[in-house]
């Protein structure tokens, strides 16, 4: 019964996998992998069975007819009597079991076999053997694997022969005549030992090429000792092994033990003296006293090949003598930079998205949002924080199989906010919001399909075209916050004095009511459209709260059609769910949607790729598409230093342990390319793989193995190209390598005094490195601002800034992917991120503003600490978020202050422009208000209203009293402390109302 159940489950999984691959149009991948596995299984099983079976058969056939009388043989007679009647059964069981194990193990190496068969040259020879790098990346690993399987077969054949010979008297432990083996047994075992030693000779010869992966020397790759001692030793051992193998085969004629024993002794002695002792003597007495001089050419090889393997060889390095002082006049010349700085922190405003745009409790946003770019109505690209409203599952009190898998099937809508704008309350300014979605983003991209059937949240599978699916509430705006839009964006205002500093008000404010009035006409029109769409889709009443809601019937082609009762049986077995059979709404038109995570879909259709940890949604050609960066990797690049991929991509926001390099053991890589850009349609799950790096030999190898599954780069639409960006994980791997390999001089590399490290994130209580940040920057020497991915370095063991690195992330730019490094002089000290954070925390002026906030009931959160080139130096920008009510469920972070640092000076302000004025102008405001009317002009209507403070006035007044009391406490400790306590109590009462 157990076997039957296991067989049914295996058959169900196999057939449903085939149907899934067929549904996404990647049947080639399924069949190629399947037949390759079958081929390797069959060949390996057959070879193992033939070698071991032949050895057992020959041992049995050559058994002696008459065995000498001894206690040993008398004891063995009992075993022979038990085994002989069933010897054929034992034979087939033993041979079959070994064959199955060998076949199963070999089938797992299908990737190595396909790379071997479809190997592509890199066009670059290695410096030691003159072999193309493709040999080491594709051919060498398979030859090692093949040799290992033959080794195992010969060893098992030898062990089986010894057991059979011993059991039937061919080999004896006790013998008065001194002959412990019959001539036939000697011949048999000598041949097997000869084959083993011959394989050892092949292994020694192959080991010579493996020296390019040696870790004996100062750097990875063949070292002085490897080239001048080990390589020679391996050649000598190869020759000795061949001679020993010939001597073993010669024993067929001599038929004694002297020749094989002498050969075996010679092999072991030479392995110890030539293979171990000689290289160790060279290393210890010749290399170590002169390591730098002797290893220098091999260090240079390591540097060159490592930089090539990780794509950093063409990085532009600029000596950047960063200024630490800036005059007000110089600041004014940098005014164009200010509007493009992304103040919205994707990891902080996720809570704001959740609170203001969740709409219903079963919708979710990720903890860390993504940064993309979208044009505004004038065509200017702006940094945009984006996410999709995904469905986590039905309400907890209604979480049953029907609701989870047939009714609550999809999320709804894109949500986006400008990265560089906030409203007067400190909330992000949304460019796409509400249900149905609307905003400037929709106006620019046009209408699009908002339903999310494929995403990172939700049930393992859903069945559509069965029950009516919950679509969205028809009146969501009555239950959501009034949304700040571009019309509500805050204009720069002067910074308050410490006496005027205030905490954020709660989310429901008079300003929001005013905003609601201004948007009333637009909301009403949109609601009419929602009602119209709901009428088309069908609507119903929620029986518990009486609110209208829209329903939907899936009209896409995603998923597998349950066209027959047999299909339903298969999926009922696969998911161990009888309701799939029993539900009467599931018909032949119904479709089951599974493998819904975009990362998992890409990994399944392209099992040779490693996917990036940060997929992101984009509106492309009328659909929401998940864009997934994918890498081709290898651990077979000569001389290139290997790294742990998991460790390299770990930072504050990324848990590297969740990342797996599917094609490599141990997750170690020493070659990586972002060779594929993949898209996954959020509505129908269509997966498209685009060849981004068409010159990558690894990709060419896999494209030869799986023809037709990768689409040429030229077929990417212009709209998709606008949203392609440089991948996070690749950049993190490159910065990990750049820590050491920015040093290109072998002597300096050997000393290691100029090595860097990635600073830990000073805004978080963690030891993880800072994440790279996406922002639009004006790189020194550049003509225009560029969308970039940036990071910083500090010297090893110190905290001052050593370098700033950026990569152009605009796929439409000719400079896309160009790494640029600003290397600061070692003779001057520039504050690193940790030192700037300490300066923020200790500066008296900053503390005057922060202290009242920290002493109130509010929760203060420090946002991303951005570093960007500015005014000939490097500017630090850190937004400060304050959450009213101690972080309660109904509150969310509001951007209240911006802290900046330049050189050793820091300042704080209401916004970035104001903070810079405080930093450089000492109150003179060198950066003018861009909206300030020209002389003689009347202020625009409504400006006076815009200057009116918004928020909960009672809370603001209470906090101002607290600040005044705190100031007085410095002069009159006793009386003022009492006033301070009363003011803080008033704040708490106001927050709790």
């Amino acid at each position: 019964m157990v076997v039957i159940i296991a067989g049914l489950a295996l058959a169900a999984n196999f057939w449903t996998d085939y149907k899934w691959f067929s549904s996404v149009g990647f049947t080639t991948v399924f069949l190629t992998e399947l037949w390759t596995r079958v081929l390797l299984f069959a060949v390996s099983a057959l070879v193992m069975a033939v070698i071991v079976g032949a050895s057992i058969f020959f041992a049995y056939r050559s058994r002696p007819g008459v065995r000498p009388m001894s206690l040993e043989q008398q004891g063995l007679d009992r075993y022979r009597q038990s085994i002989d009647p069933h010897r054929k059964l034992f034979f087939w069981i033993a041979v079959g079991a070994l064959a199955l194990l060998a076949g199963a193990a070999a089938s797992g190496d299908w990737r190595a076999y396909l790379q071997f068969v479809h190997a592509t040259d890199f066009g670059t020879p290695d410096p030691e053997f003159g072999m193309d790098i493709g040999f080491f990346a594709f051919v060498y690993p398979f030859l090692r694997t093949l040799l290992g399987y033959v080794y195992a077969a010969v060893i098992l054949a030898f062990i089986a022969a010894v057991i059979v010979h011993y059991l039937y008297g061919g080999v004896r432990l006790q013998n008065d005549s001194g002959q412990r083996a019959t001539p036939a047994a000697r011949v048999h075992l000598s041949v097997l030992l000869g084959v083993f030693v011959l394989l050892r000779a092949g292994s020694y010869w192959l080991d010579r090429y493996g020296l390019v992966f040696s870790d004996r020397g100062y750097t990875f790759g063949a070292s002085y000792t490897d080239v001048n001692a080990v390589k020679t030793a391996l050649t000598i051992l190869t020759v000795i092994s061949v001679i020993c193998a010939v001597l073993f085969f010669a024993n067929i004629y001599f038929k004694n033990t002297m020749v094989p024993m002498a050969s075996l002794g010679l092999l072991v002695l030479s392995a110890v003296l030539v293979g171990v002792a000689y290289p160790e003597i060279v290393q210890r007495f010749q290399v170590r006293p002169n390591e730098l001089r002797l290893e220098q050419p091999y260090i240079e090889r390591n540097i060159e090949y490592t930089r090539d393997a990780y794509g950093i060889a063409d990085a532009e390095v600029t000596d950047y003598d960063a200024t630490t002082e800036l005059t007000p006049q110089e600041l004014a010349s940098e005014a164009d930079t200010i509007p493009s700085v992304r103040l919205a922190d994707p990891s902080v405003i996720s809570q704001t998205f959740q609170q203001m745009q969740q709409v219903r409790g079963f919708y979710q946003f990720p903890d860390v949002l993504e940064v993309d770019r979208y044009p505004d109505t004038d065509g200017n690209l702006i940094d945009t924080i984006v996410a999709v409203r995904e469905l986590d599952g039905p309400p907890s009190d209604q979480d049953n199989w029907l609701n989870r898998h047939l009714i609550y099937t999809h999320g709804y809508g894109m949500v986006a906010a400008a990265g560089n704008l906030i409203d007067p309350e400190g909330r992000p300014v949304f460019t796409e919001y509400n249900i149905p979605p609307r905003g400037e983003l929709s106006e620019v991209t046009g209408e699009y399909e908002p339903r999310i059937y494929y995403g990172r949240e939700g049930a393992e599978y859903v069945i559509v075209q069965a029950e009516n699916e919950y679509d969205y509430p028809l009146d969501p705006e009555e239950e959501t916050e009034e949304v700040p839009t571009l019309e509500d964006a805050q204009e720069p205002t002067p910074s308050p004095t410490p006496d005027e500093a205030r905490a954020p008000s709660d989310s429901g404010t008079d300003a929001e009511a005013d905003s609601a009035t201004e948007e009333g006409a637009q909301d009403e029109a949109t609601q009419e459209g929602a009602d119209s769409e709901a009428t088309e889709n069908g609507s119903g009443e929620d029986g518990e709260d009486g609110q209208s809601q829209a329903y939907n019937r899936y009209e896409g082609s995603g998923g597998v059609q349950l066209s027959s009762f047999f299909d339903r049986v298969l999926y009922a077995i696969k998911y161990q769910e009888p309701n799939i059979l029993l539900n009467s709404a599931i018909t032949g038109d119904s479709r089951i949607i599974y493998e819904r995570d975009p990362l998992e879909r890409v990994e399944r259709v392209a099992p040779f790729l490693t996917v990036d940890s940060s997929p992101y949604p984009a509106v492309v050609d009328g659909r929401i598409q998940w864009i997934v960066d994918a890498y081709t990797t290898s651990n077979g690049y000569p001389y290139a230093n290997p790294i742990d991929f998991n460790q390299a991509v770990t930072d504050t926001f990324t848990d590297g342990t969740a990342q797996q390099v599917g094609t490599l053991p141990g997750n170690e890589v020493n070659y990586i390319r972002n060779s594929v850009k993949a898209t996954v349609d959020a509505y129908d799950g269509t997966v498209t793989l685009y060849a981004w790096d068409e010159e990558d030999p690894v990709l060419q190898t896999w494209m030869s193995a799986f023809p037709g599954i990768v689409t040429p780069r030229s077929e990417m639409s212009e709209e998709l190209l606008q949203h392609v960006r440089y991948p996070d994980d690749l950049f993190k791997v490159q910065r990990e390598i750049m820590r050491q390999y920015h040093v290109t001089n072998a002597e300096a590399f050997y000393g290691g005094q100029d090595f860097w490290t990635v600073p830990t994130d000073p805004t978080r209580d963690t030891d993880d490195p800072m994440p790279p940040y996406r922002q639009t920057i004006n790189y020194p020497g550049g003509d225009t601002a560029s969308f970039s991915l940036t990071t910083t370095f500090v010297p090893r063991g110190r905290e001052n800034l050593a370098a700033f690195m950026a990569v152009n992330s605009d796929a439409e730019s000719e400079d896309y992917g160009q790494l640029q490094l600003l290397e600061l002089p070692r003779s001057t000290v520039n504050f690193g991120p940790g030192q700037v954070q300490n300066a923020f925390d200790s500066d008296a002026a900053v503390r005057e503003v922060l202290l009242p906030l920290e002493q109130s009931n509010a929760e203060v959160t420090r946002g991303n600490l951005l570093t960007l080139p500015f005014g000939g130096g490097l500017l630090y920008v850190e937004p400060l978020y304050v959450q009213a009510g101690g972080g309660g469920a109904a509150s969310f972070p509001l951007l209240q202050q911006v802290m900046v640092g330049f050189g050793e000076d820091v300042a704080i302000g209401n916004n970035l422009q104001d903070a810079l004025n405080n930093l450089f102008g000492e109150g003179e405001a060198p950066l003018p208000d861009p909206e300030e009317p020209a002389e003689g002009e009347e202020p625009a209507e409504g400006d006076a209203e815009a200057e009116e403070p918004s928020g909960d006035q009672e809370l603001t007044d209470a906090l101002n009293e607290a600040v005044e009391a705190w100031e007085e406490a410095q002069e009159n400790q006793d009386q003022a402390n009492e006033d301070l306590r009363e003011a803080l109590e008033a704040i708490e009462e106001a927050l709790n109302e």
Side-chain angles (χ1 to χ4, degrees):
M1 182 60 70
V2 173
V3 174
I4 293 174
I5 294 175
L8 286 174
L10 183 62
N13 284 328
F14 174 82
W15 189 245
T16 54
D17 281 350
Y18 175 76
K19 292 181 73 67
W20 184 87
F21 276 98
S22 179
S23 71
V24 294
F26 284 83
T27 311
T28 302
V29 175
F30 179 82
L31 294 178
T32 300
E33 179 180 343
L34 173 64
W35 291 121
T36 304
R37 285 179 177 272
V38 169
L39 174 64
L40 293 176
F41 181 94
V43 171
S44 298
L46 181 62
V47 170
M48 179 65 73
V50 168
I51 293 177
V52 176
S55 181
I56 294 175
F57 178 77
F58 183 81
Y60 177 76
R61 288 294 300 270
S62 62
R63 68 191 185 280
V66 179
R67 289 176 288 274
M69 295 299 295
S70 66
L71 293 176
E72 179 186 26
Q73 294 303 315
Q74 290 175 6
L76 290 173
D77 280 338
R78 292 193 295 270
Y79 291 102
R80 285 191 286 266
Q81 292 171 4
S82 300
I83 292 174
D84 270 344
H86 311 289
R87 64 177 182 273
K88 290 185 177 180
L89 177 62
F90 288 143
F91 171 80
W92 289 113
I93 289 177
V95 171
L98 291 174
L100 288 175
L101 290 174
S107 66
D109 292 313
W110 63 273
R111 293 183 179 91
Y113 172 76
L114 287 178
Q115 286 186 310
F116 170 75
V117 172
H118 300 277
T120 303
D121 286 344
F122 278 68
T124 302
D126 91 286
E128 185 59 35
F129 299 98
M131 304 286 288
D132 188 88
I133 290 176
F135 168 80
F136 299 96
F138 307 129
V139 178
Y140 175 79
F142 180 74
L143 294 179
R144 297 295 315 182
T145 301
L146 182 62
L147 193 61
Y149 282 117
V150 180
Y151 253 135
V154 172
I155 292 172
L156 289 173
F158 181 83
I159 294 172
V162 170
I163 292 173
V164 175
H165 278 302
Y166 177 72
L167 187 61
Y168 286 95
V171 174
R172 309 153 196 149
L173 299 180
Q174 300 175 3
N175 192 352
D176 296 337
S177 65
Q179 293 295 325
R180 297 186 181 276
T182 64
R186 291 195 196 101
V187 170
H188 184 193
L189 298 180
S190 293
V191 169
L192 289 176
L193 287 174
V195 172
F196 175 82
V197 174
L198 198 60
L199 291 173
R200 194 74 188 99
S203 178
Y204 280 134
W205 185 257
L206 204 56
D207 286 344
R208 297 169 67 254
Y209 298 104
L211 292 176
V212 297
F213 306 116
S214 170
D215 56 2
R216 178 192 298 270
Y218 183 78
T219 55
F220 186 80
S223 63
Y224 177 89
T225 301
D226 293 320
V227 172
N228 294 278
V230 178
K231 181 181 176 183
T232 303
L234 290 173
T235 304
I236 295 172
L237 289 173
T238 301
V239 175
I240 292 175
S241 297
V242 172
I243 295 173
C244 290
V246 172
L247 292 176
F248 276 114
F249 292 137
N251 199 45
I252 297 174
Y253 174 76
F254 294 111
K255 297 180 182 178
N256 60 40
T257 58
M258 182 62 68
V259 173
M261 292 302 293
S263 301
L264 191 61
L266 174 62
L267 187 64
V268 172
L269 183 63
S270 59
V272 172
L273 294 180
V274 179
V276 178
Y278 173 55
E280 183 61 27
I281 291 172
V282 172
Q283 179 70 25
R284 180 168 298 183
F285 297 104
Q286 185 175 357
V287 174
R288 286 187 183 176
N290 308 281
E291 189 170 43
L292 175 58
R293 180 175 59 83
L294 296 180
E295 293 285 8
Q296 182 170 343
Y298 306 102
I299 295 175
E300 290 173 351
R301 289 181 182 179
N302 172 262
I303 294 173
E304 177 186 353
Y305 280 78
T306 299
R307 289 171 62 88
D308 286 341
Y310 291 97
I312 64 173
D314 296 327
E316 295 180 358
V317 181
T318 303
D319 292 330
Y320 191 61
D321 190 5
T323 182
T324 56
E325 296 181 357
L326 203 62
T327 65
Q329 292 74 22
E330 291 171 328
L331 173 62
S333 67
E334 296 287 329
D336 291 341
T337 304
I338 306 306
S340 65
V341 177
R342 178 186 57 75
L343 295 177
D345 185 343
S347 67
V348 177
I349 67 169
S350 174
Q351 299 178 54
T352 309
F353 272 49
Q354 193 77 8
Q355 184 64 30
M356 300 188 69
Q357 284 295 296
Q358 186 182 24
V359 180
R360 290 288 189 269
F362 42 76
Y363 288 122
Q364 294 293 328
F365 293 99
D367 292 335
V368 180
L369 309 180
E370 294 296 333
V371 181
D372 197 359
R373 291 202 304 171
Y374 283 89
D376 58 18
T377 52
D378 297 326
N380 301 313
L381 290 172
I382 60 173
D383 294 359
T384 306
I385 312 298
V386 297
V388 290
R389 188 182 290 103
E390 295 198 60
L391 185 70
D392 186 42
S396 57
D397 59 343
Q398 299 174 354
D399 192 359
N400 53 52
W401 180 84
L402 184 66
N403 277 333
R404 175 165 287 276
H405 296 287
L406 273 74
I407 296 178
Y408 290 86
T409 58
H410 59 277
Y412 201 98
M414 188 89 165
V415 180
N420 59 340
L421 297 174
I422 60 170
D423 80 335
E425 286 294 307
R427 299 174 300 180
V429 172
F430 288 90
T431 57
E432 188 76 354
Y433 52 92
N434 284 5
I435 295 179
R438 67 176 186 273
E440 187 182 47
L441 187 148
S442 295
E443 296 174 6
V444 173
T445 62
E447 293 185 2
Y448 61 92
E449 172 57 62
R451 295 172 180 86
I452 314 295
Y453 283 89
Y454 294 85
R456 310 214 66 190
E457 302 290 341
E460 182 181 5
Y461 67 92
V462 295
I463 300 175
V464 296
Q465 295 182 10
E467 302 281 0
N468 285 335
E469 305 162 32
Y470 176 85
D471 206 21
Y472 60 87
L474 289 178
D475 51 356
E477 297 180 12
E478 295 180 5
E479 302 181 11
T480 57
E481 301 286 343
E482 292 300 333
V483 179
T485 61
L486 292 174
E487 291 78 10
D488 304 311
Q490 183 186 46
E491 302 298 343
T493 56
S495 178
T497 65
D499 293 344
E500 297 170 338
R502 60 186 179 86
S505 62
D506 293 332
S507 54
T509 64
D510 296 337
E512 291 170 3
D514 296 340
S515 172
T517 302
E518 295 173 5
E519 296 179 3
Q522 180 182 2
D523 291 353
E524 183 178 352
T526 305
Q527 186 60 44
E528 291 176 1
D531 294 341
S532 174
E533 182 177 347
T535 302
E536 294 175 2
N537 291 327
S539 64
E541 295 291 326
D542 187 307
E544 300 210 358
D545 58 20
Q547 298 297 318
S548 296
Q549 58 190 29
Y551 293 100
N552 178 62
R553 295 282 292 186
Y554 183 71
E555 297 178 355
S557 59
V560 176
Q561 186 172 353
L562 301 173
S563 56
S564 67
F565 183 77
F566 178 68
D567 290 335
R568 294 170 65 179
V569 171
L570 289 175
Y571 284 99
I573 294 174
K574 178 181 178 68
Y575 292 110
Q576 301 178 24
E577 181 52 69
N579 285 322
I580 296 177
L581 293 174
L582 301 177
N583 185 278
S584 59
I586 300 176
T587 67
D589 294 328
S590 300
R591 311 181 75 88
I592 182 168
I593 294 175
Y594 57 104
E595 300 291 353
R596 304 172 68 193
D597 190 312
L599 296 185
E600 293 177 358
R601 293 180 74 81
V602 174
E603 286 176 331
R604 292 211 67 187
V605 303
F608 50 88
L609 296 176
T610 298
V611 296
D612 191 87
S613 58
S614 300
Y616 57 101
V619 177
V620 177
D621 301 324
R623 291 290 186 93
I624 295 177
Q625 300 276 359
W626 290 97
I627 301 177
V628 181
D629 285 287
Y631 311 112
T632 48
T633 57
S634 175
N635 60 358
Y637 202 92
Y639 291 96
N641 193 59
I643 63 170
D644 187 317
F645 186 84
N646 290 353
Q647 183 178 351
V649 303
T650 296
D651 59 26
T652 305
F653 301 146
T654 305
D655 180 9
T657 59
Q659 289 296 98
Q660 299 294 322
V661 184
T663 60
L664 301 177
N667 290 303
E668 276 206 344
V669 302
N670 71 350
Y671 173 90
I672 186 170
R673 289 291 184 273
N674 176 212
S675 54
V676 172
K677 302 283 187 180
T679 61
V680 178
D681 192 304
Y683 185 68
D684 63 20
T686 300
V687 180
T688 308
L689 307 176
Y690 294 99
W692 185 251
D693 186 353
E694 297 176 320
E695 303 300 319
D696 175 31
V698 180
L699 178 62
Q700 292 174 1
T701 296
W702 288 118
M703 289 174 65
S704 175
F706 297 101
I709 70 168
V710 181
T711 303
R713 176 175 175 171
S714 58
E715 295 189 20
M716 297 181 73
S717 68
E718 292 185 7
E719 191 170 356
L720 174 59
L721 200 61
Q722 289 178 358
H723 297 285
V724 168
R725 65 187 194 184
Y726 200 79
D728 292 67
D729 288 351
L730 175 60
F731 187 70
K732 285 186 276 191
V733 167
Q734 289 176 324
R735 77 172 178 179
E736 178 69 16
I737 292 298
M738 191 67 82
R739 294 189 309 108
Q740 297 182 357
Y741 287 89
H742 67 279
V743 179
T744 55
N745 178 272
E747 293 185 10
F749 191 93
Y750 181 85
Q753 62 269 18
D754 293 331
F755 288 171
W756 300 332
T757 188
V758 178
T760 57
D761 192 342
T763 66
R764 302 289 192 274
D765 186 16
T766 177
D767 293 330
D768 291 328
M770 291 183 69
Y773 293 122
R774 294 190 183 277
Q775 51 182 328
T776 298
I777 62 172
N778 285 315
Y779 197 84
D783 297 329
T784 59
S786 61
F787 185 50
S788 303
L789 195 55
T790 65
T791 190
T792 56
F793 297 99
V794 297
R796 188 169 59 180
R798 298 173 59 193
E799 293 297 326
N800 58 288
L801 193 65
F804 170 86
M805 186 170 79
V807 63
N808 190 310
S809 192
D810 182 1
E812 296 183 296
S813 169
E814 294 181 356
D815 294 327
Y816 171 85
Q818 178 63 58
L819 289 169
Q820 296 176 302
L821 195 67
L822 297 179
E823 191 168 349
L824 278 65
R826 301 172 183 83
S827 57
T828 60
V829 176
N830 294 269
F831 273 11
Q835 293 172 321
V836 168
Q837 189 64 56
N838 288 334
F840 287 152
D841 294 339
S842 59
D843 183 78
V846 174
R847 294 299 303 165
E848 277 190 303
V849 177
L850 294 186
L851 187 61
L853 300 174
E854 293 173 344
Q855 289 182 339
S856 70
N857 196 33
E859 178 180 330
V860 179
T861 301
R862 289 167 169 77
N864 43 210
L865 180 56
L866 302 176
T867 310
L868 62 155
F870 183 84
L874 288 167
L875 177 70
Y876 290 96
V877 179
E878 182 178 300
L880 193 71
Y881 293 85
V882 182
Q883 188 166 348
S891 65
F892 49 85
L894 301 175
L895 198 160
Q896 294 295 295
Q897 299 288 324
V898 177
M899 297 184 290
V900 295
F902 192 86
E904 298 183 4
D905 298 324
V906 296
I908 192 170
N910 261 3
N911 49 60
L912 178 58
Q913 177 175 316
D914 186 34
L916 291 174
N917 284 337
N918 293 337
L919 180 67
F920 297 111
E922 299 180 355
E924 298 178 9
L927 286 176
D929 184 345
E931 300 298 325
E932 184 178 321
E935 184 176 354
E937 281 189 12
E938 293 294 328
E941 185 178 351
D943 284 354
E945 295 181 4
E947 295 175 2
E948 290 295 325
S950 61
D952 191 323
Q953 190 61 41
E954 183 179 355
L955 175 61
T956 303
D957 293 342
L959 182 58
N960 288 338
E961 292 176 10
V963 176
E964 293 174 3
W966 182 80
E967 291 284 345
E968 293 174 4
Q970 309 305 309
E971 300 176 358
N972 189 342
Q973 189 71 26
D974 296 333
Q975 181 61 39
N977 278 348
E978 182 64 27
D979 295 341
L980 178 60
R981 280 193 296 272
E982 292 177 358
L984 291 176
E985 289 174 359
I987 293 173
E988 184 173 1
E989 291 176 1
L991 289 170
N992 292 331
E993 289 181 357

